[in-house]
Amino acid sequence: MEPEPLLHELFDADVAREIVMRISQCMHDGVVLKSGDGSVRSHNAVACRHLRVSSSNLLGTKSLDAQWQWIHPDGRPYPRSEHPGMRTLRTGVPIDGDLMGVRDGDDGDVRWLSTATMPIQLGGKRHMIVVFNDITREFDNGRALRSTLDSLQARLVPSEMSTIEGIRLAATHRGRGDDDVLGTDFYGPNVDGPDDLSFFIGDVFDRGTPVSTAGTLAHASLRALGPFVDDPEAMLAKLHAIVVDDSTDAAPSLIHGRLRRRGNRLVMSVASAGHALPILVRDGQTSEIGRPGGPVGAADNDRRPSTEWELFPGDRLVMYTDGITDGIRPRLTAADLLDRIPTNGSIDRIVDVLGRLVDPFRDDGADDATVLGFEVERTPW
């Protein structure tokens, strides 16, 4: 196969130079040629636009020059020795997709450049070609999306929770690892009266926007209906109707329960909708309590019966999503999980131990994992 002819072989020097200039003007990428000491020897017009300097100010400069401040995406300074170009000059290894922020002076806007480098030998000396593209809009949009998702996630899995006197709550949540996906787990307590606390924890099958929407809908509905619907079974029936009416094609699984005073007794009622049953820790023993029921939003509207338990000081109740049992290999069964619970520990200790079961190095496709629990420290009456 014969080599492709070069421009200077097809045209005279002036025409070839004009062609290169026109091609350069059509590019979206800035291109600079740097010598061995890091100074700019040549560049295209786009490089000047991206860096907001004239050609005369760009030629001969180095990335260390005071007119630019370079930063990492997390805001740390980007030392000159770490710049992609300087690393390539030092090692001879090309770099692709390095992200750098550049600011003009102390108060200038930050522009984000995706940078690639390629070493080249000219006149027996190592030079370097640097190609960079301004991705500021994409970067800022990504940060705005992440901020929105973080705000929504904080509502679904709150770090601060209200409770009633004598009841200690604890929770932990580990995300799935995707920066641009809202987790599908949700939980929350509702203080519905001086001695009345409702609580819930849930997950949504599958993933994606409709699934996240279903979780958000379930969370908001449970909080809004909490003061008005006493029985967990009735609450799950109402939530089923809401999810079906919304036509999200997603079926949340969840536990809903309520703690309240009956005379001098503390009584808990709880119902499960396609969810792993809650675990009662009492006197050094663990046991699942409640009865299984169908998920809300499913085609068959199965019953989700409530069960009642009287609770005493020292009792701890633990609930979790399937990301806990699925987040470890081999997968934990419900019986395995019962054996992992430190029965003599506080609810904070139990929640921490179960949360740490999840493999921190699992792949991004893993489900998020949540544990919610409470401990009866004393009956306040």
Side-chain angles (χ1 to χ4, degrees):
M1 183 176 179
E2 295 184 2
E4 295 289 337
L6 302 177
L7 282 177
H8 72 269
E9 296 174 341
L10 298 175
F11 306 98
D12 62 38
D14 291 339
V15 174
R17 188 178 300 108
E18 179 72 15
I19 292 173
V20 171
M21 184 185 69
R22 295 294 184 185
I23 293 174
S24 174
Q25 291 173 343
C26 294
M27 295 176 63
H28 294 287
D29 296 331
V31 181
V32 300
L33 173 66
K34 290 193 170 188
S35 62
D37 66 354
S39 60
V40 176
R41 298 287 302 278
S42 182
H43 63 84
N44 68 350
V46 181
C48 293
R49 292 204 300 270
H50 285 345
L51 297 175
R52 298 180 181 175
V53 294
S54 65
S55 176
S56 60
N57 287 332
L58 181 57
L59 287 173
T61 60
K62 301 178 182 178
S63 52
L64 183 64
D65 290 353
Q67 62 184 310
W68 295 304
Q69 295 180 22
W70 298 91
I71 59 174
H72 286 280
D74 61 4
R76 290 178 296 116
Y78 211 135
R80 184 190 181 207
S81 60
E82 296 181 14
H83 286 203
M86 299 308 296
R87 281 150 48 198
T88 294
L89 281 173
R90 185 169 61 250
T91 65
V93 177
I95 294 173
D96 186 31
D98 203 272
L99 184 59
M100 307 176 70
V102 57
R103 177 187 287 117
D104 302 325
D106 293 331
D107 301 322
D109 295 334
V110 176
R111 298 179 305 287
W112 294 99
L113 306 178
S114 178
T115 307
T117 63
M118 176 64 66
I120 184 174
Q121 291 290 328
L122 296 175
K125 296 182 179 180
R126 180 179 292 172
H127 288 61
M128 170 193 49
I129 296 174
V130 182
V131 180
F132 49 93
N133 187 28
D134 190 335
I135 61 166
T136 302
R137 178 176 297 179
E138 294 88 340
F139 185 87
D140 289 344
N141 287 344
R143 278 194 166 175
L145 173 62
R146 183 66 260 166
S147 177
T148 300
L149 292 177
D150 286 345
S151 177
L152 290 173
Q153 194 76 72
R155 293 175 180 269
L156 294 177
V157 286
S159 58
E160 297 182 2
M161 299 178 291
S162 300
T163 185
I164 59 176
E165 186 180 357
I167 303 299
R168 180 172 181 82
L169 291 167
T172 186
H173 170 260
R174 293 200 176 190
R176 64 175 70 235
D178 294 347
D179 284 342
D180 58 349
V181 176
L182 188 66
T184 59
D185 287 1
F186 56 93
Y187 65 80
N190 257 0
V191 177
D192 301 322
D195 301 320
D196 191 352
L197 177 74
S198 61
F199 56 88
F200 56 87
I201 181 173
D203 191 5
V204 185
F205 303 134
D206 209 348
R207 62 191 301 180
T209 302
V211 173
S212 298
T213 301
T216 304
L217 175 66
H219 182 276
S221 300
L222 292 168
R223 288 187 62 85
L225 293 173
F228 308 105
V229 183
D230 288 338
D231 180 52
E233 181 176 357
M235 174 69 83
L236 295 180
K238 288 185 176 295
L239 182 60
H240 172 82
I242 291 171
V243 172
V244 169
D245 184 64
D246 192 66
S247 302
T248 61
D249 295 327
S253 74
L254 70 147
I255 290 170
H256 185 271
R258 184 174 292 278
L259 285 172
R260 56 191 147 188
R261 175 183 177 181
R262 284 189 182 169
N264 292 325
R265 301 164 60 223
L266 178 63
V267 177
M268 175 186 67
S269 55
V270 65
S272 171
H275 203 86
L277 294 176
I279 300 170
L280 178 65
V281 184
R282 172 183 287 175
D283 298 329
Q285 302 293 320
T286 58
S287 59
E288 291 184 321
I289 63 172
R291 289 183 286 174
V296 300
D300 298 326
N301 187 16
D302 297 331
R303 281 196 63 205
R304 305 164 191 91
S306 298
T307 55
E308 283 194 353
W309 292 76
E310 183 176 359
L311 298 181
F312 304 93
D315 285 348
R316 287 138 293 163
L317 191 79
V318 184
M319 299 157 282
Y320 61 94
T321 61
D322 60 7
I324 295 294
T325 50
D326 293 347
I328 186 173
R329 294 293 181 267
R331 183 185 184 278
L332 291 179
T333 65
D336 294 331
L337 193 66
L338 292 178
D339 292 336
R340 300 290 187 100
I341 294 176
T343 56
N344 294 322
S346 67
I347 191 61
D348 299 89
R349 171 65 175 157
I350 293 172
V351 167
D352 181 66
V353 167
L354 295 186
R356 291 178 183 276
L357 293 177
V358 178
D359 181 5
F361 301 106
R362 60 196 177 142
D363 61 50
D364 288 349
D367 196 3
D368 45 348
T370 302
V371 185
L372 173 67
F374 64 82
E375 180 173 358
V376 182
E377 296 183 317
R378 60 185 178 84
T379 52
W381 45 77

